[in-house]
Amino acid sequence: MRKRLPFILISLITSGAFMLGACKPAAPTEAPTEPVAEEVAIRVWAHQNDAFNEGLEGLAMVYMGENPNVTITFETFDYDTYIQTLQTALPAGTEADILQMFGSWVCSYAEGENLAEVPEDIIGLDEVYDTFFQPQIEGYICNDKLYGLPQEYNIE
């Protein structure tokens, strides 16, 4: 069963970098004659919201401009369709690589072992609590494990 990291606005670039790091070939024993540029395609599922979608696509365009071997494709869904799509795709293993989820949804999917934990080398729980207000981050923490970051937060 494939596990996926829930998609969050502020970690799109970090998540992409993490995925690319996981896709890198082993270090060669001799210097390569040309840079290695393995093609990477990342599918992102998100809830339909024009303002958020425009912002996410802008971030993706910047990332793809700096990493021409990466293609990020967005698929957006209205609320009811997205819930149904997640409920059928996650158990079947046909979901996108990155998923945008509201905090209130995360733990129910994490219990089904459909989501990957955020690796400690990306951000740990201590740093998360220092970075985000507790109410915003709580939905992404299940059994003391972090499964994503808020896509919205208050800046005060």
Side-chain angles (χ1 to χ4, degrees):
M1 178 185 313
R2 297 184 319 169
K3 294 183 180 182
R4 297 292 179 217
L5 185 65
F7 177 74
I8 33 355
L9 174 64
I10 62 174
S11 69
L12 173 63
I13 304 304
T14 304
S15 297
F18 170 70
M19 287 183 182
L20 289 175
C23 297
K24 288 182 183 175
T29 53
E30 43 186 84
T33 56
E34 296 179 26
V36 177
E38 180 181 341
E39 294 295 318
V40 177
I42 300 172
R43 286 176 53 216
V44 179
W45 282 359
H47 176 260
Q48 284 178 345
N49 179 306
D50 291 342
F52 276 108
N53 297 149
E54 186 177 318
L56 295 173
E57 288 174 8
L59 288 171
M61 294 302 289
V62 169
Y63 188 85
M64 290 186 294
E66 294 173 0
N67 300 276
N69 61 315
V70 177
T71 302
I72 301 172
T73 305
F74 288 91
E75 299 171 39
T76 62
F77 306 86
D78 65 79
Y79 185 84
D80 291 333
T81 302
Y82 194 32
I83 292 172
Q84 292 172 1
T85 302
L86 287 171
Q87 290 173 345
T88 57
L90 281 164
T94 58
E95 73 280 358
D97 302 302
I98 300 175
L99 308 172
Q100 176 192 44
M101 285 191 184
F102 300 108
S104 59
W105 298 0
V106 172
C107 289
S108 63
Y109 290 110
E111 287 173 6
E113 298 185 7
N114 295 303
L115 304 178
E117 294 177 45
V118 175
E120 282 283 326
D121 61 343
I122 299 292
I123 190 168
L125 284 177
D126 290 339
E127 188 178 353
V128 161
Y129 282 118
D130 289 341
T131 304
F132 296 95
F133 292 117
Q134 185 172 349
Q136 281 81 23
I137 195 64
E138 286 297 323
Y140 298 90
I141 298 173
C142 315
N143 299 321
D144 295 323
K145 296 176 183 175
L146 182 63
Y147 288 93
L149 299 172
Q151 56 201 355
E152 299 178 47
Y153 54 92
N154 296 327
I155 298 176
E156 295 181 16

